[in-house]
């Protein structure tokens, strides 16, 4: 039987293959769809951002930092546009090393600045594909040299750079900024948020060849401008005088603060050594600190002004009261307080003389009269132990412990400026309080902040003109510390310190001045005791006395050169130079005769040890003739011819004049009424007060109120001389400088002193009849 042919299985096999192929393509399609979903949905924003990075560039447009002006709108800190250089490493390709080498050869000018070195620059090129800084804020010459290289992938960008046109002037006050325009010190740091402004942004579209296709920009908002109380000219005077003295005495550092006593505004704040904020790479760390507000020291004898003024105001002490200095030493609770060696042996003296001689024992007894609680109250009222609120960073409050933390003899230490630490700003504000009539005014260094630029009619200079009235209304934080009468007494006592006491080096030419010297011992870190070689020399004062225009504090830390390291020899001359120049610059009227240059020239070194020059009487006569500009035929050139025989009336007048003068001297506060404000004086007289009821008014003061006679001539020194009225020259023999001035003033004469000590010779001789206003030459010797 024949079998049927066998069938093949091709159809099922084809179906299976078809299924496999279909499943494969479905799987592939699913993978593609999932991948597209992952890319286009899940990671959409990421790829959009990456595309934007490749196609666009976003630059932050820095705002213009605010300006710093002095009170006369002189630029102290400004912002200028300069070129910065950056590279796109992906465009440099394999040329990165050569580019880094050529660029660093131009921009790496400072060996101490490794940021622009070839190694650092190449590291930045390798770390980024799209952007790397080459150098920032280049000077025009360097930028032009880079531009001449014409390197592919190297571009320029305009940036703002902080510029200080006066270099190191007021450096610690202004501060400085970093590369990114952030404030790093001084006012730049304190007002960084206000001065920085709000940055803008610029969005730029690029093609594949990095060509700009278009851009969108949001404008930045500039920062605010600050107008300071500083006067750049006064600041320069203070810095120049301080630098000269620093070089002379080779001190560690020094500070000078000039303040308007009637507003509290700081006119100058000089610190030495300084730094140049235009050269931030070479700043020494020790020069960056604003010592006027952040550095404290024990003030020493300058703090006695607080002690004496508090005693006068709160304990009923008068300048003419007697204080027993006990031979210059005082023992309390096992501690012995000594006066300076030159003042050992002081016994019962007036309070004023104790301050003139800077007696530690006298100051301690003033503090004991007050008691701890009241003394502490006055110290706090003067602003010690508290931040003043001045617009500068890092201000310290100083050191002032409450009475419950005092030791048994702390009141003695604080009376002489120990166990208390102050800042120069606190010290000058204390002196201003005494100078302005007893009102504490917080110090300020900022007048206002404004969006207006120089040239805008809304922004006007605020030139400083000395005033004799306090602001009305008083600023926040102002309060009365001492009465106006106490202030007048203190000003007179402080003037005597300059005339006859320890502050003679602070005397001015044509202006009266007042102040107090101070020398504080520093703590030796090794022995933790007071050092006898490391000192802080200071002087705090004001001028003129009757109507103070400025207050000045000078603090010089650790002078190491010179014959003396005390405040009288180190800091007082700086006060004299600064005050003299500032008062003349401000046009303050002279309140004393203006001496000729030959009268105020510095004495030879041999005369510094002994202020008694070896002059003959003939020399004194020549000085008298020259001082009064006498013509060749004037009979006063031969005083013997004009000495009238003394009569009984003349003798009585001379005795009366001498008696009045002696009374004035014993009171020790002649002229206090003249130092009171006019409104206070008129109110006092309206209430029935008289000069005799004032404890510090001289008996002979009424002679200053008599009207001037009509017949007057002007001497060669610009002083009116009454030719029709002649007075007898009193005898000055044995009198000190102040006593001689008082005796001469009582009869309408003036004194030209020669030397120091007690009066020994005079021209003309006593009894000579001379015109009222004549200047008598008197030699003083020790």
């Amino acid at each position: 039987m024949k079998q049927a042919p066998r069938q093949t299985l091709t159809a099922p096999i084809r179906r299976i293959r078809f299924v496999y192929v279909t499943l494969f393509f479905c799987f592939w399609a699913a993978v593609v769809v999932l991948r597209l979903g992952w890319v286009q949905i899940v990671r959409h924003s990421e790829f959009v951002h990456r595309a934007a990075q490749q196609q666009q560039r976003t630059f932050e447009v820095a705002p213009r930092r605010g300006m710093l002006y002095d009170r006369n709108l002189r630029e102290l800190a400004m912002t200028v546009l300069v070129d910065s250089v950056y590279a796109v490493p992906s465009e440099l390709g394999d040329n990165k090393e050569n580019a880094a080498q050529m660029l660093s050869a131009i921009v790496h000018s400072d060996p101490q600045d490794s940021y622009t070195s070839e190694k650092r620059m190449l590291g930045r090129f390798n770390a980024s594909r799209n952007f790397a800084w080459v150098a920032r804020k280049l000077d025009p010459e360097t930028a032009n040299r880079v531009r001449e290289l014409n390197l592919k992938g190297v571009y320029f960008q305009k940036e703002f750079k902080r510029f200080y046109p006066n270099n190191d002037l007021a450096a610690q006050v202004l501060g400085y900024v970093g590369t990114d325009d952030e404030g790093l010190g001084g006012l730049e740091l304190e007002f960084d948020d206000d001065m920085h402004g709000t940055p803008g942004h610029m969005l730029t579209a690029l093609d594949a060849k990095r060509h700009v296709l278009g851009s969108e920009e949001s404008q930045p908002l500039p920062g605010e401008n600050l107008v300071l109380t500083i006067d750049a000219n006064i600041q320069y005077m203070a810095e120049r005088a301080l630098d000269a003295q620093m070089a002379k005495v080779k001190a560690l550092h020094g500070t000078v603060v000039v303040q308007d006593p009637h507003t509290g505004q700081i006119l100058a704040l000089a610190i030495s050594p300084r730094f140049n904020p235009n050269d931030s790479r070479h700043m020494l760390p020790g020069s960056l600190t604003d010592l006027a507000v952040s550095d404290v020291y024990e003030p020493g004898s300058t703090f006695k002004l607080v002690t004496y003024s508090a005693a006068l105001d709160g304990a009923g002490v008068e300048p003419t009261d007697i204080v027993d200095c006990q031979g210059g030493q005082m023992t309390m609770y096992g501690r012995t307080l000594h006066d300076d060696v030159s003042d050992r042996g002081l016994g019962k003296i007036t309070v004023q003389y104790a301050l003139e001689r800077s007696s530690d024992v006298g100051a301690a007894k003033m503090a004991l009269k007050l008691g701890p609680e009241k003394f502490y109250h006055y110290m706090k009222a003067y602003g010690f132990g508290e931040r003043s609120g001045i617009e500068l960073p890092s201000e310290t409050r100083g050191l002032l412990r409450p009475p419950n933390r005092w030791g048994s003899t702390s009141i003695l230490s604080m009376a002489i400026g120990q166990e208390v630490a102050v800042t120069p700003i606190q010290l000058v504000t204390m002196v201003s309080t005494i100078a302005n009539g007893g009102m504490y005014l917080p110090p300020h260094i900022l007048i206002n902040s404004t969006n207006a630029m120089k040239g805008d009619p809304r922004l006007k200079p605020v030139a400083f003109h000395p005033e004799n009235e306090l602001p009305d209304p008083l600023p926040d934080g102002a309060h009365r510390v001492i009465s106006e009468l106490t202030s007048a007494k203190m000003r007179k006592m402080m003037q005597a310190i300059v005339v006859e006491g320890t502050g003679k080096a602070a005397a001015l030419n044509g202006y009266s001045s007042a102040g107090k010297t101070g020398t504080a011992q520093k703590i030796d870190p090794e022995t933790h005791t007071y050092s006898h070689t490391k000192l802080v020399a200071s002087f705090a004062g004001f001028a003129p006395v009757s109507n103070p225009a400025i207050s000045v504090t000078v603090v010089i830390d650790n002078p190491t050169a010179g014959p003396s390291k005390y405040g009288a020899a180190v800091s007082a001359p700086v006060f004299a130079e600064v005050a003299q120049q500032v008062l003349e610059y401000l046009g303050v009227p002279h309140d004393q005769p203006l001496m000729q240059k030959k009268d105020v020239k510095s004495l030879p070194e041999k005369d510094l040890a002994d202020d008694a020059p070896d002059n003959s009487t003939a020399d004194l006569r020549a000085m008298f003739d020259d001082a009064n500009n006498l013509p060749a035929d004037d009979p006063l050139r031969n005083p013997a011819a004009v000495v009238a025989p003394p009569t009984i009336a003349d003798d009585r007048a001379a005795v009366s004049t001498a008696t009045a003068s002696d009374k004035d001297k014993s009171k020790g506060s002649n002229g206090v009424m003249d130092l009171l404000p006019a409104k206070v004086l008129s109110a006092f007289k309206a209430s029935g007060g008289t000069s005799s009821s004032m404890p510090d008014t001289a008996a002979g003061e009424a002679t200053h109120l008599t009207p001037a006679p009509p017949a007057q001539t002007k001497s060669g020194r610009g002083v009116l001389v009454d030719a029709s009225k002649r007075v007898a020259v009193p005898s000055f023999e044995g009198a000190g400088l102040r006593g001689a001035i008082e005796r001469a003033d009582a009869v309408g004469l003036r004194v030209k002193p020669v030397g120091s000590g007690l009066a020994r010779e005079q021209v003309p001789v006593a009894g000579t009849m001379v015109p009222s206003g004549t200047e008598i030459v008197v030699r003083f010797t020790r």
Side-chain angles (χ1 to χ4, degrees), residues 480-727:
R480 179 159 295 283
V481 180
I482 57 177
S483 68
E484 292 188 347
L485 179 59
T486 300
S487 171
K489 295 175 183 178
M490 283 299 301
R491 294 202 299 272
K492 203 66 179 177
M493 293 170 67
M494 292 170 66
Q495 182 182 16
I497 295 174
V498 175
V499 174
E500 293 187 352
T502 59
K504 293 179 181 178
L508 307 180
N509 182 14
Y511 298 101
S512 59
S513 60
K516 183 69 183 76
T517 58
T519 306
Q521 296 172 295
K522 298 179 67 175
I523 297 293
D524 191 327
E526 297 181 358
T527 62
H528 300 286
T529 58
Y530 283 109
S531 171
H532 294 287
T533 57
K534 297 179 179 180
L535 308 174
V536 178
S538 59
F539 185 91
F542 52 84
V545 176
S546 58
N547 186 18
I550 56 171
S551 299
V552 182
T553 287
V554 181
V555 180
I556 297 182
D557 185 10
N558 197 24
T560 58
S564 174
K565 302 176 180 62
Y566 292 162
V570 175
S571 297
V574 180
F575 166 88
E577 181 176 350
V578 172
Q580 185 77 42
Q581 293 182 7
V582 172
L583 292 175
E584 292 176 350
Y585 163 71
L586 296 175
V588 177
H590 293 281
D591 65 339
Q592 286 190 347
L594 187 62
M595 294 184 292
Q596 299 177 4
K597 289 185 178 180
K598 64 180 181 180
D599 298 327
V600 296
K601 64 182 179 181
S602 57
L603 294 174
E605 186 174 352
K606 64 182 181 63
D607 292 334
L608 293 177
D610 182 2
D611 290 330
D614 230 0
N615 295 332
S616 64
T617 304
D619 295 331
L620 295 183
R621 194 175 310 286
M623 293 175 66
F624 170 76
D625 297 341
D626 179 70
N628 295 279
N629 198 25
L630 297 181
D633 58 348
D634 195 296
L636 283 178
R637 285 184 175 272
N638 183 16
V642 295
V643 177
T647 62
I648 298 177
D650 291 336
D651 289 339
R652 290 176 179 175
V655 171
S656 176
T657 300
T659 304
S661 177
D662 291 339
K663 289 181 179 179
D664 291 346
K665 183 178 179 181
S666 66
K667 290 197 173 188
S669 55
N670 186 23
V672 172
M673 290 285 284
D674 294 336
L675 299 181
L676 290 174
K679 59 182 181 180
V680 176
L681 187 60
S682 61
F684 175 77
K685 292 181 177 178
S687 64
T690 63
S691 61
S692 60
S693 64
M694 298 294 290
D696 285 345
T697 303
E701 190 173 335
T703 59
H704 298 287
L705 304 179
T706 57
Q712 293 178 334
T713 60
K714 186 171 289 189
S715 73
R717 307 274 299 275
V719 179
L720 293 178
V721 176
D722 184 3
S724 63
K725 179 182 177 182
R726 291 181 175 265
V727 295

Side-chain angles (χ1 to χ4, degrees), residues 94-108:
D94 297 333
N95 197 35
K96 294 178 182 178
E97 293 185 4
N98 291 335
Q101 182 180 5
M102 288 187 290
L103 290 170
S104 64
I106 296 175
V107 301
H108 185 55

